[in-house]
Amino acid sequence: MDFSLGEELEAVRDLAREIFTDRATPERLREVETSPDRTDTPLWADLASAGLLGAVLPEQDGGAGLGMAGLAVLLEEQGRRVAPVPLWPALVAGLAVAAHGTPRQRTKLLPGLASGDARATLALEEFGPADPLSPRTTAVPDGTARDLPRWRLTGTKAVVPAPDGARHVLVTATTDAGPGLFLAEPDAPGTTWEFAETTTHDLSGHLTLEGTPAEPVGTPGDGTVAEVVRHAFVALAAVQVGVAGGALRYAADHLRERAQFGRPLATFQAVQHQLADCYVDIDAMRVTLWQALDATAEPFDAADADRAALVAKWWATEAGLNTVHRIQHVHGGIGVDVDYPVHRHFLWGKQISSTLGGAGADLERLGDLLTAGTVTS
């Protein structure tokens, strides 16, 4: 497998790194953490004007066609700086609409997403030990509107990321034909929001749906939901690679500069072992991430892609959390000081490790996949 990025992805990486480094400073992060919507709106506009939001969308929709690989590169750079913009939910939603939406839906959502003028978010999670592929929220058909089938959604979605400011929300729900993905308006009749702060100081929303009107994206039971969940797993893994890598950079700088018993802390063997474990885990996270991206590239086998995405998700969940734990530990007391920026990497690592299920849930899902078919790799 060739792990080189190629010219286009390198350009995305370099430009994203420059913007995030310049804009997502610790001082700016403190400001955003106390803002009403917890989103760095000027940074979002900068990413849009630089063409980075549109880069992942298909060329037919005004993008550069870099898809999930481009998104992964962008998300890793975001994670390095723990930049508070809702990239993964908005762009995974955009890719879903680009792949499965009607021409009207694509026109309605994608130009605004690429320009930064409109955002979408994803409602994939539910309370309790719910499998995102088997939502308890239900959808029933309700005639047509503008020559499109209309459905009614009923249920509760938990921890919807960055709902404030989103113009569209993509909701997963169960139908008689299987799980389906539905496009709803966040203020449509029958919707009720309860906002809450997450571990990372972002705002999330618990969404209650009571007969809420919505349009299907794709056809219920056609595998659209499985693809969206797979992409969400890979996107979270990409963010976590950046979060862990950024934390390791802080640790290396801190340990090189801080001395004890007349020697830099970085020269102590126990500390070196801790950082070596972090380095190995981050490398494994990156390898499994790109293996998943390769497995999900067209043309692909759905079973192989699902297994690869879950492996990447598990490494991001387990090794990512272990890494930010170790790095906070080697910082000593300063690691939990909110005036020192490394604490944000710990918070992000912890939040990502529980999004769409923790390590135990990932292993259970992976076990079900492995026992359901022949293992080829």
Side-chain angles (χ1 to χ4, degrees):
M1 187 183 299
D2 183 4
F3 285 97
S4 60
L5 291 180
E7 186 176 342
E8 287 184 315
L9 294 180
E10 285 183 353
V12 169
R13 179 199 62 194
D14 294 344
L15 179 57
R17 184 171 296 180
E18 179 181 351
I19 292 174
F20 285 126
T21 300
D22 289 346
R23 303 292 192 271
T25 62
E27 296 75 20
R28 177 58 181 159
L29 297 182
R30 291 191 196 99
E31 292 178 19
V32 176
E33 287 169 357
T34 57
S35 67
D37 63 0
R38 312 297 172 85
T39 295
D40 192 336
T41 303
L43 174 57
W44 183 264
D46 288 340
L47 295 170
S49 63
L52 291 172
L53 301 183
V56 307
L57 300 175
E59 293 182 10
Q60 70 186 56
D61 295 302
L66 297 183
M68 282 300 298
L71 179 56
V73 171
L74 180 59
L75 291 175
E76 182 176 345
E77 295 306 318
Q78 178 196 17
R80 288 185 194 280
R81 306 300 300 192
V82 290
V85 284
L87 283 174
W88 82 262
L91 293 178
V92 170
L95 288 173
V97 172
H100 303 285
T102 64
R104 178 181 166 276
Q105 288 170 342
R106 294 200 302 272
T107 301
K108 180 180 180 181
L109 189 145
L110 299 181
L113 177 57
S115 68
D117 295 329
R119 295 202 311 267
T121 190
L122 293 169
L124 304 179
E125 296 196 78
E126 297 180 349
F127 290 105
D131 184 344
L133 295 176
S134 302
R136 291 191 290 262
T137 297
T138 59
V140 295
D142 185 40
T144 61
R146 294 189 293 271
D147 296 325
L148 288 174
R150 298 287 287 186
W151 294 68
R152 295 280 177 175
L153 307 179
T154 301
T156 301
K157 289 295 184 177
V159 203
V160 178
D164 193 21
R167 294 187 186 176
H168 313 281
V169 55
L170 270 67
V171 182
T172 53
T174 294
T175 73
D176 289 341
L181 185 68
F182 297 88
L183 180 63
E185 304 300 325
D187 57 353
T191 58
T192 304
W193 290 91
E194 179 184 352
F195 297 103
E197 184 177 286
T198 70
T199 302
T200 59
H201 302 300
D202 293 334
L203 285 184
S204 68
H206 306 321
L207 171 61
T208 300
L209 304 154
E210 297 178 348
T212 302
E215 301 173 1
V217 177
T219 303
D222 67 354
T224 298
V225 170
E227 180 182 284
V228 171
V229 172
R230 185 189 309 133
H231 285 174
F233 286 168
V234 175
L236 289 166
V239 181
Q240 191 78 311
V241 170
V243 169
L248 184 60
R249 181 72 268 164
Y250 273 117
D253 292 343
H254 171 74
L255 296 171
R256 184 175 58 249
E257 296 168 359
R258 188 172 177 85
Q260 194 172 62
F261 305 114
R263 296 165 51 195
L265 282 175
T267 64
F268 287 77
Q269 189 177 63
V271 173
Q272 292 173 349
H273 287 173
Q274 292 280 347
L275 294 195
D277 285 342
C278 292
Y279 181 88
V280 170
D281 277 349
I282 294 171
D283 219 27
M285 290 162 62
R286 182 172 287 109
V287 168
T288 54
L289 167 64
W290 282 95
Q291 184 181 32
L293 288 165
D294 183 70
T296 56
E298 296 286 353
F300 66 91
D301 177 83
D304 287 344
D306 287 339
R307 286 193 290 266
L310 268 172
V311 169
K313 168 73 162 53
W314 180 85
W315 272 101
T317 298
E318 181 75 4
L321 184 57
N322 288 341
T323 295
V324 294
H325 265 290
R326 290 192 197 102
I327 287 173
Q328 190 175 49
H329 176 72
V330 300
H331 274 84
I334 198 174
V336 294
D337 186 344
V338 295
D339 289 327
Y340 189 75
V342 79
H343 80 279
R344 294 189 181 88
H345 293 262
F346 174 80
L347 295 177
W348 275 55
K350 190 170 182 64
Q351 176 76 28
I352 293 169
S353 72
S354 62
T355 301
L356 293 174
D362 295 337
L363 286 180
E364 183 177 359
R365 295 166 187 158
L366 185 58
D368 290 341
L369 287 176
L370 292 175
T371 56
T374 303
V375 180
T376 59
S377 62

